[in-house]
PDB file of all heavy atoms in Angstrom:
ATOM      1  N   ILE A 276      21.593 -17.684  43.412  1.00  0.00           N
ATOM      2  CA  ILE A 276      21.509 -19.001  42.894  1.00  0.00           C
ATOM      3  C   ILE A 276      20.310 -19.049  41.979  1.00  0.00           C
ATOM      4  O   ILE A 276      19.121 -18.767  42.370  1.00  0.00           O
ATOM      5  CB  ILE A 276      21.314 -20.060  43.978  1.00  0.00           C
ATOM      6  CG1 ILE A 276      22.512 -20.065  44.915  1.00  0.00           C
ATOM      7  CG2 ILE A 276      21.200 -21.467  43.355  1.00  0.00           C
ATOM      8  CD1 ILE A 276      22.299 -20.855  46.235  1.00  0.00           C
ATOM      9  N   ASN A 277      20.570 -19.261  40.676  1.00  0.00           N
ATOM     10  CA  ASN A 277      19.459 -19.359  39.655  1.00  0.00           C
ATOM     11  C   ASN A 277      18.540 -18.219  39.774  1.00  0.00           C
ATOM     12  O   ASN A 277      17.260 -18.375  39.743  1.00  0.00           O
ATOM     13  CB  ASN A 277      18.729 -20.698  39.808  1.00  0.00           C
ATOM     14  CG  ASN A 277      19.607 -21.868  39.553  1.00  0.00           C
ATOM     15  OD1 ASN A 277      20.503 -21.849  38.671  1.00  0.00           O
ATOM     16  ND2 ASN A 277      19.398 -22.939  40.252  1.00  0.00           N
ATOM     17  N   GLY A 278      19.036 -16.979  39.898  1.00  0.00           N
ATOM     18  CA  GLY A 278      18.200 -15.776  39.868  1.00  0.00           C
ATOM     19  C   GLY A 278      17.565 -15.451  41.230  1.00  0.00           C
ATOM     20  O   GLY A 278      16.853 -14.457  41.298  1.00  0.00           O
ATOM     21  N   VAL A 279      17.758 -16.260  42.281  1.00  0.00           N
ATOM     22  CA  VAL A 279      17.287 -16.017  43.595  1.00  0.00           C
ATOM     23  C   VAL A 279      18.413 -15.569  44.442  1.00  0.00           C
ATOM     24  O   VAL A 279      19.508 -16.242  44.583  1.00  0.00           O
ATOM     25  CB  VAL A 279      16.569 -17.221  44.205  1.00  0.00           C
ATOM     26  CG1 VAL A 279      16.027 -16.941  45.532  1.00  0.00           C
ATOM     27  CG2 VAL A 279      15.441 -17.673  43.290  1.00  0.00           C
ATOM     28  N   LEU A 280      18.248 -14.409  45.154  1.00  0.00           N
ATOM     29  CA  LEU A 280      19.212 -13.793  46.061  1.00  0.00           C
ATOM     30  C   LEU A 280      18.830 -14.089  47.529  1.00  0.00           C
ATOM     31  O   LEU A 280      17.797 -13.688  47.957  1.00  0.00           O
ATOM     32  CB  LEU A 280      19.410 -12.370  45.852  1.00  0.00           C
ATOM     33  CG  LEU A 280      20.466 -11.605  46.610  1.00  0.00           C
ATOM     34  CD1 LEU A 280      21.851 -12.130  46.163  1.00  0.00           C
ATOM     35  CD2 LEU A 280      20.300 -10.114  46.453  1.00  0.00           C
ATOM     36  N   TYR A 281      19.671 -14.790  48.265  1.00  0.00           N
ATOM     37  CA  TYR A 281      19.460 -15.090  49.608  1.00  0.00           C
ATOM     38  C   TYR A 281      20.368 -14.199  50.399  1.00  0.00           C
ATOM     39  O   TYR A 281      21.596 -14.367  50.428  1.00  0.00           O
ATOM     40  CB  TYR A 281      19.738 -16.553  49.972  1.00  0.00           C
ATOM     41  CG  TYR A 281      18.900 -17.484  49.146  1.00  0.00           C
ATOM     42  CD1 TYR A 281      19.262 -17.983  47.914  1.00  0.00           C
ATOM     43  CD2 TYR A 281      17.746 -17.960  49.643  1.00  0.00           C
ATOM     44  CE1 TYR A 281      18.500 -18.859  47.183  1.00  0.00           C
ATOM     45  CE2 TYR A 281      16.907 -18.813  48.961  1.00  0.00           C
ATOM     46  CZ  TYR A 281      17.236 -19.276  47.768  1.00  0.00           C
ATOM     47  OH  TYR A 281      16.506 -20.131  47.008  1.00  0.00           O
ATOM     48  N   ILE A 282      19.807 -13.188  51.136  1.00  0.00           N
ATOM     49  CA  ILE A 282      20.594 -12.248  51.890  1.00  0.00           C
ATOM     50  C   ILE A 282      20.661 -12.569  53.297  1.00  0.00           C
ATOM     51  O   ILE A 282      19.611 -12.734  53.973  1.00  0.00           O
ATOM     52  CB  ILE A 282      20.012 -10.810  51.745  1.00  0.00           C
ATOM     53  CG1 ILE A 282      19.886 -10.386  50.219  1.00  0.00           C
ATOM     54  CG2 ILE A 282      20.940  -9.767  52.427  1.00  0.00           C
ATOM     55  CD1 ILE A 282      19.226  -9.016  50.019  1.00  0.00           C
ATOM     56  N   SER A 283      21.831 -12.699  53.835  1.00  0.00           N
ATOM     57  CA  SER A 283      22.050 -12.989  55.259  1.00  0.00           C
ATOM     58  C   SER A 283      21.469 -11.848  56.073  1.00  0.00           C
ATOM     59  O   SER A 283      21.370 -10.718  55.659  1.00  0.00           O
ATOM     60  CB  SER A 283      23.514 -13.145  55.631  1.00  0.00           C
ATOM     61  OG  SER A 283      24.072 -14.290  55.002  1.00  0.00           O
ATOM     62  N   GLY A 284      21.007 -12.156  57.347  1.00  0.00           N
ATOM     63  CA  GLY A 284      20.547 -11.090  58.179  1.00  0.00           C
ATOM     64  C   GLY A 284      21.518  -9.952  58.351  1.00  0.00           C
ATOM     65  O   GLY A 284      22.686 -10.167  58.597  1.00  0.00           O
ATOM     66  N   GLN A 285      20.953  -8.816  58.191  1.00  0.00           N
ATOM     67  CA  GLN A 285      21.734  -7.611  58.349  1.00  0.00           C
ATOM     68  C   GLN A 285      21.406  -6.959  59.707  1.00  0.00           C
ATOM     69  O   GLN A 285      20.238  -6.840  60.003  1.00  0.00           O
ATOM     70  CB  GLN A 285      21.526  -6.539  57.240  1.00  0.00           C
ATOM     71  CG  GLN A 285      21.958  -7.075  55.884  1.00  0.00           C
ATOM     72  CD  GLN A 285      23.468  -7.227  55.832  1.00  0.00           C
ATOM     73  OE1 GLN A 285      24.206  -6.275  56.103  1.00  0.00           O
ATOM     74  NE2 GLN A 285      24.004  -8.391  55.452  1.00  0.00           N
ATOM     75  N   ILE A 286      22.431  -6.525  60.445  1.00  0.00           N
ATOM     76  CA  ILE A 286      22.260  -5.794  61.603  1.00  0.00           C
ATOM     77  C   ILE A 286      22.703  -4.358  61.475  1.00  0.00           C
ATOM     78  O   ILE A 286      23.352  -3.990  60.461  1.00  0.00           O
ATOM     79  CB  ILE A 286      23.029  -6.459  62.787  1.00  0.00           C
ATOM     80  CG1 ILE A 286      24.525  -6.534  62.478  1.00  0.00           C
ATOM     81  CG2 ILE A 286      22.478  -7.888  63.050  1.00  0.00           C
ATOM     82  CD1 ILE A 286      25.343  -7.118  63.704  1.00  0.00           C
ATOM     83  N   PRO A 287      22.405  -3.496  62.423  1.00  0.00           N
ATOM     84  CA  PRO A 287      22.635  -2.033  62.263  1.00  0.00           C
ATOM     85  C   PRO A 287      24.098  -1.671  62.593  1.00  0.00           C
ATOM     86  O   PRO A 287      24.462  -1.040  63.561  1.00  0.00           O
ATOM     87  CB  PRO A 287      21.722  -1.333  63.258  1.00  0.00           C
ATOM     88  CG  PRO A 287      21.510  -2.319  64.375  1.00  0.00           C
ATOM     89  CD  PRO A 287      21.529  -3.667  63.634  1.00  0.00           C
ATOM     90  N   VAL A 288      24.920  -2.100  61.610  1.00  0.00           N
ATOM     91  CA  VAL A 288      26.431  -1.762  61.736  1.00  0.00           C
ATOM     92  C   VAL A 288      26.759  -0.852  60.592  1.00  0.00           C
ATOM     93  O   VAL A 288      26.378  -1.183  59.436  1.00  0.00           O
ATOM     94  CB  VAL A 288      27.230  -3.062  61.780  1.00  0.00           C
ATOM     95  CG1 VAL A 288      28.685  -2.703  61.618  1.00  0.00           C
ATOM     96  CG2 VAL A 288      26.933  -3.852  63.001  1.00  0.00           C
ATOM     97  N   GLU A 289      27.412   0.226  60.813  1.00  0.00           N
ATOM     98  CA  GLU A 289      27.865   1.125  59.702  1.00  0.00           C
ATOM     99  C   GLU A 289      29.073   0.425  59.053  1.00  0.00           C
ATOM    100  O   GLU A 289      30.059   0.038  59.677  1.00  0.00           O
ATOM    101  CB  GLU A 289      28.309   2.475  60.367  1.00  0.00           C
ATOM    102  CG  GLU A 289      27.266   3.282  60.976  1.00  0.00           C
ATOM    103  CD  GLU A 289      27.764   4.520  61.584  1.00  0.00           C
ATOM    104  OE1 GLU A 289      28.998   4.577  61.960  1.00  0.00           O
ATOM    105  OE2 GLU A 289      26.970   5.487  61.735  1.00  0.00           O
ATOM    106  N   PRO A 290      28.954   0.221  57.707  1.00  0.00           N
ATOM    107  CA  PRO A 290      30.012  -0.434  57.012  1.00  0.00           C
ATOM    108  C   PRO A 290      31.407   0.265  57.089  1.00  0.00           C
ATOM    109  O   PRO A 290      32.402  -0.395  57.058  1.00  0.00           O
ATOM    110  CB  PRO A 290      29.511  -0.601  55.634  1.00  0.00           C
ATOM    111  CG  PRO A 290      28.299   0.211  55.523  1.00  0.00           C
ATOM    112  CD  PRO A 290      27.838   0.560  56.834  1.00  0.00           C
TER     113      PRO A 290
END
Side-chain angles (χ1 to χ4, degrees):
I276 303 169
N277 297 326
V279 180
L280 183 67
Y281 301 90
I282 305 174
S283 295
Q285 293 294 306
I286 60 175
V288 172
E289 295 176 337

